[in-house]
Amino acid sequence: MKNLKKPFVWAVISLLLILVGSIAASQFNSSAGDVDVSRIYFETPRGELSGLLYKPKDATEQPKPTLITTHGYLNSAEMQDAQAIEMSKRGYVVLALDQYDHGHSTGTMEKPIPFFSFWPHAIYDAVQYMYGQDYVLKDENGNGIIAVSGHSMGGFSSTHAVMLDEVDFQESGVRKIYSSLTLGSDYQWVKTLGYSVDDINNSYGPRTSGMVAAQYDEFFFGASAGGTVVKKNYVGTEEGQGFLGNPETSKAGEIYDVNGGKRVIYQPNETHPWNHFSKQSTAYAIGFYDMAFADYNDLVKVGKDGQSWMFKEFASFIALIGFFILVLPVTSLLSKLPFFAWIHTKKPAPLPEPVTIGSKFARYLTIVFVGLYPALFFSALYGGDVSGMRLLRQISMIFIVLSAIVFILSWIRNLDKNVKTGSFVLFVLSGIQYIILREQSRFFATTENFGAPIVNSIVYWAINVAIVMLLVTVCYHFVSKKPAGATIENYGVKVHIKSIVASFVTAAVTVAIGYGVLYAIDAIFKVDFRLWTFAVKTFELHHLIAMLKYAPLFFIFYFIIGMTVNINTASAKYDGMKGYLISILHFVGGLVLYLIYQYGLLFTTGTAGYPSESLSSIIVIGLVPVLIIAAIFNRYLYRKTGNVYVAAFINTLLMTMVTVANTTLYTIF
């Protein structure tokens, strides 16, 4: 009973954090019960769209002005919490929409170019649905009192929706869209559909329209010759001035009368993803809708009421913390049961600390290298940078040649068995990496089996990092660790088959229990566990299938990185907090430095450290919390079980699901 008490107490604490955080988040999400929040699904000519519907209690009796808002390329409807909460509590009906092949929505249209399938019609298809609902206000002429809004690709979808609506207006005489506000998007991708800037600007007609064009946006609103991650001034560009009607002078935040409507551009000192988590951008949105819907102030509240969306985010963060804490006591409690107890293996005795200068230097050099390498070539491996990939292939070829020479000489001169074994392993690993580097385009391809383009890039980076970490570990083992007495047990690898099976089942049950709690919370409170872009959210069947396809590839990464951490913290010196810090350094040390360098220079000089790396730097922001948690799980569970398998399986199943459920996933081609 004593062994059960501690994990049981932590399980209760984690569940309390989840419950308290979710109740609080639900209260802020629903404006203390004044707004009904539900997830809806509806069929369209292009598939099935889903979203969170925020409906004020009195909307059934009195139709309301309505806002349809949506997310960008990597996200889902929940990223629109700020607008959804603030406008619904002011009396608007709000639909926070999952675009096709994001979140809970699915696109069944043909996808010759998948990227151009989900966003061009998502918002306007949602407009058609919402226009037909009794709780959505129309004027006496049948015009819809509906605003459309979106971030990034959602902004392109909103802009295109206005254009489609204006085309329909020419035939029907009815405008279903009353107003539009985009965040983090210019005309770049809308123009690829064949439109000119004039076509787009003329489509706004008399609608009140606005843009939030952050000065540090990584993608849009103007770029230097060296890249897009630079400070910008959109109102000073030809495109921005055209949107404002080409006034003699243009200024951010000023209202301009254009074609019978009003136009405005806001320029906060923010980055692209920062728009989601900004009181400033949210204040701009509130002020914009106050202006756009001023004629309907008898139906909605107008004014500068305090913002409350961030309290929902903080409460959801508490629940998120509880969710990840829950993993550890659940694993411990399961391990007390028959069969599950097989996850425990004999923990190897601590290795002695390095005593020679050479062995100490090798240890520190290894720790620093494995911490920095994942970031040094992130842009090359993730984005396919030509020069970076060429350098990696050349390094791989050098390793192949050198290891082959050493292996041949070791047989000719009958050198030590360790030299033969080590050189052969290095030769094989270098050859595998070279093949993977040469076949980069095949790994990047979005297919029916691997339909998440962002995940494809991440897993390609992860596998290459894992191979390099294994190369370094093999060298370190034969040069330093093996002479110090290290065996395969010190890596947490050598166990019986039954322990591996028990570890996998334990991981699967643990993750299933965690997501079971999430689904219960979603059903009762209509909230998930998140902070900003990092979220654990519910998923559909196709997400589960995708996770199972990607999991074996991610397992390679978590298994090898976990193994390298174990051997580098194998002495008694690292039994405490130092061991966790080294583990975190292995997983994310270089990535954190990458972000500091990238954004530190952007904010201080106006040009990022890697000005051409826009999407990749945003991906790193999302990877950091995932890998920090994975590092903690790896260290904790190795110390508890004596092997690498439980942590590797849990990290694989949990983090892969978190990843695929939060990004684009094409399921039908």
Side-chain angles (χ1 to χ4, degrees):
M1 287 299 294
K2 185 177 180 181
N3 292 333
L4 291 173
K5 184 177 180 180
K6 189 173 181 179
F8 180 78
V9 169
W10 276 107
V12 171
I13 290 172
S14 62
L15 290 172
L16 284 174
L17 288 173
I18 291 172
L19 184 61
V20 170
S22 298
I23 291 173
S26 175
Q27 286 296 296
F28 290 113
N29 200 39
S30 66
S31 300
D34 291 338
V35 176
D36 287 326
V37 182
S38 60
R39 183 173 298 283
I40 64 171
Y41 297 82
F42 52 93
E43 296 294 328
T44 75
R46 277 160 280 273
E48 183 181 63
L49 286 173
S50 176
L52 290 170
L53 179 65
Y54 291 72
K55 190 167 71 170
K57 294 284 189 181
D58 59 347
T60 303
E61 294 77 29
Q62 172 57 64
K64 296 280 191 172
T66 297
L67 167 64
I68 301 173
T69 182
T70 195
H71 56 85
Y73 185 48
L74 303 179
N75 307 126
S76 58
E78 290 83 359
M79 289 302 292
Q80 298 304 303
D81 277 353
Q83 287 201 59
I85 292 171
E86 294 306 322
M87 302 322 297
S88 64
K89 82 177 185 181
R90 287 166 168 78
Y92 295 79
V93 170
V94 180
L95 174 63
L97 180 71
D98 284 330
Q99 293 189 63
Y100 292 111
D101 291 321
H102 289 70
H104 296 268
S105 295
T106 304
T108 57
M109 73 291 283
E110 292 185 3
K111 301 166 187 174
I113 304 177
F115 180 75
F116 287 95
S117 65
F118 69 83
W119 62 266
H121 292 89
I123 280 278
Y124 200 52
D125 285 348
V127 168
Q128 304 287 17
Y129 171 80
M130 292 297 286
Y131 180 81
Q133 306 308 305
D134 293 338
Y135 48 78
V136 175
L137 185 67
K138 295 91 178 173
D139 68 12
E140 62 276 9
N141 297 317
N143 295 302
I145 311 304
I146 300 172
V148 293
S149 177
H151 181 264
S152 193
M153 290 297 150
F156 299 139
S157 187
S158 299
T159 300
H160 195 225
V162 170
M163 301 182 72
L164 294 172
D165 191 48
E166 194 64 12
V167 171
D168 286 352
F169 168 74
Q170 303 305 319
E171 296 183 4
S172 67
V174 171
R175 289 187 173 97
K176 296 177 181 178
I177 297 176
Y178 183 78
S179 178
S180 71
L181 175 68
T182 62
L183 300 87
S185 68
D186 55 17
Y187 294 164
Q188 177 177 321
W189 288 102
V190 180
K191 288 189 292 185
T192 62
L193 299 178
Y195 302 109
S196 68
V197 172
D198 288 339
D199 292 334
I200 301 170
N201 283 330
N202 292 334
S203 294
Y204 291 109
R207 299 173 181 85
T208 298
S209 301
M211 292 184 174
V212 176
Q215 295 186 55
Y216 295 101
D217 190 285
E218 288 92 337
F219 298 98
F220 308 117
F221 310 120
S224 70
T228 62
V229 194
V230 296
K231 188 175 183 180
K232 296 142 183 171
N233 177 33
Y234 188 53
V235 297
T237 66
E238 182 178 347
E239 184 176 289
Q241 290 174 353
F243 172 76
L244 297 175
N246 293 308
E248 291 185 8
T249 59
S250 55
K251 185 178 179 181
E254 285 201 4
I255 312 298
Y256 296 88
D257 293 318
V258 184
N259 295 336
K262 297 182 183 300
R263 309 272 180 90
V264 61
I265 295 175
Y266 306 102
Q267 293 190 168
N269 291 318
E270 298 170 4
T271 64
H272 189 77
W274 195 347
N275 295 156
H276 293 298
F277 207 73
S278 163
K279 292 185 69 174
Q280 182 64 75
S281 286
T282 305
Y284 286 147
I286 295 168
F288 174 82
Y289 296 125
D290 282 351
M291 173 181 65
F293 294 97
D295 292 342
Y296 299 95
N297 59 14
D298 58 325
L299 299 178
V300 294
K301 297 176 184 177
V302 175
K304 297 182 178 179
D305 292 348
Q307 298 181 29
S308 57
W309 63 270
M310 73 287 295
F311 299 118
K312 187 263 181 181
E313 291 290 322
F314 297 150
S316 296
F317 182 46
I318 292 173
L320 181 69
I321 294 172
F323 173 84
F324 284 113
I325 291 176
L326 181 63
V327 169
L328 301 180
V330 166
T331 303
S332 294
L333 290 171
L334 285 173
S335 71
K336 309 300 180 185
L337 302 174
F339 174 74
F340 294 98
W342 288 344
I343 68 172
H344 292 286
T345 57
K346 183 180 179 182
K347 188 175 179 181
L351 292 175
E353 277 289 295
V355 292
T356 66
I357 295 177
S359 59
K360 290 181 179 179
F361 177 76
R363 195 260 299 276
Y364 290 122
L365 181 63
T366 301
I367 291 173
V368 171
F369 179 81
V370 299
L372 292 180
Y373 178 80
L376 290 175
F377 289 95
F378 184 85
S379 59
L381 293 169
Y382 175 85
D385 173 70
V386 175
S387 59
M389 290 302 297
R390 184 186 302 115
L391 176 61
L392 285 172
R393 288 194 297 270
Q394 290 170 348
I395 294 173
S396 182
M397 291 173 66
I398 292 171
F399 265 89
I400 292 173
V401 172
L402 289 179
S403 57
I405 291 173
V406 173
F407 179 68
I408 294 171
L409 289 176
S410 69
W411 281 96
I412 294 174
R413 298 188 178 185
N414 196 27
L415 298 179
D416 184 80
K417 180 182 177 181
N418 291 336
V419 177
K420 297 176 182 177
T421 304
S423 59
F424 178 74
V425 172
L426 291 176
F427 174 76
V428 172
L429 291 175
S430 300
I432 292 172
Q433 188 191 32
Y434 180 77
I435 294 171
I436 292 174
L437 291 172
R438 284 296 301 266
E439 297 297 319
Q440 183 185 35
S441 60
R442 296 177 66 178
F443 277 87
F444 271 68
T446 302
T447 65
E448 188 169 356
N449 286 324
F450 295 97
I454 295 300
V455 183
N456 292 344
S457 298
I458 293 174
V459 79
Y460 182 76
W461 164 83
I463 289 176
N464 277 281
V465 167
I467 292 174
V468 172
M469 295 301 102
L470 191 55
L471 281 166
V472 173
T473 301
V474 169
C475 291
Y476 187 42
H477 174 76
F478 286 107
V479 170
S480 178
K481 287 299 180 180
K482 188 173 178 61
T487 64
I488 196 169
E489 285 88 349
N490 294 104
Y491 293 81
V493 174
K494 187 177 180 181
V495 296
H496 296 294
I497 293 295
K498 66 180 182 181
S499 296
I500 298 175
V501 173
S503 296
F504 176 76
V505 174
T506 299
V509 172
T510 298
V511 172
I513 289 172
Y515 270 98
V517 172
L518 169 63
Y519 272 86
I521 292 296
D522 177 74
I524 298 170
F525 301 112
K526 287 297 176 291
V527 295
D528 56 14
F529 309 145
R530 69 174 48 243
L531 180 68
W532 195 10
T533 59
F534 180 47
V536 181
K537 66 187 302 297
T538 56
F539 55 84
E540 301 287 338
L541 177 61
H542 59 270
H543 292 109
L544 178 61
I545 294 171
M547 184 274 286
L548 294 176
K549 293 177 180 177
Y550 282 107
L553 300 175
F554 277 112
F555 178 78
I556 296 171
F557 172 78
Y558 287 113
F559 179 81
I560 291 176
I561 299 301
M563 190 174 61
T564 63
V565 171
N566 294 342
I567 195 61
N568 283 312
T569 56
S571 64
K573 178 181 178 180
Y574 295 103
D575 277 346
M577 186 57 65
K578 285 184 179 180
Y580 285 98
L581 293 176
I582 294 296
S583 183
I584 292 171
L585 175 63
H586 274 64
F587 276 81
V588 299
L591 297 179
V592 171
L593 292 177
Y594 175 97
L595 291 176
I596 292 172
Y597 176 70
Q598 174 79 340
Y599 288 102
L601 286 178
L602 176 62
F603 292 132
T604 56
T605 70
T607 301
Y610 303 97
S612 61
E613 296 301 322
S614 50
L615 184 58
S616 61
S617 58
I618 291 175
I619 296 299
V620 172
I621 294 174
L623 280 176
V624 166
V626 167
L627 295 180
I628 288 176
I629 294 167
I632 294 171
F633 283 176
N634 181 80
R635 181 64 183 161
Y636 178 87
L637 292 170
Y638 172 65
R639 296 183 69 203
K640 291 294 183 181
T641 65
N643 65 74
V644 71
Y645 294 98
V646 180
F649 284 130
I650 286 179
N651 283 333
T652 297
L653 297 176
L654 180 55
M655 303 311 177
T656 305
M657 180 55 77
V658 167
T659 303
V660 300
N662 278 284
T663 190
T664 310
L665 178 60
Y666 301 106
T667 56
I668 301 171
F669 287 82

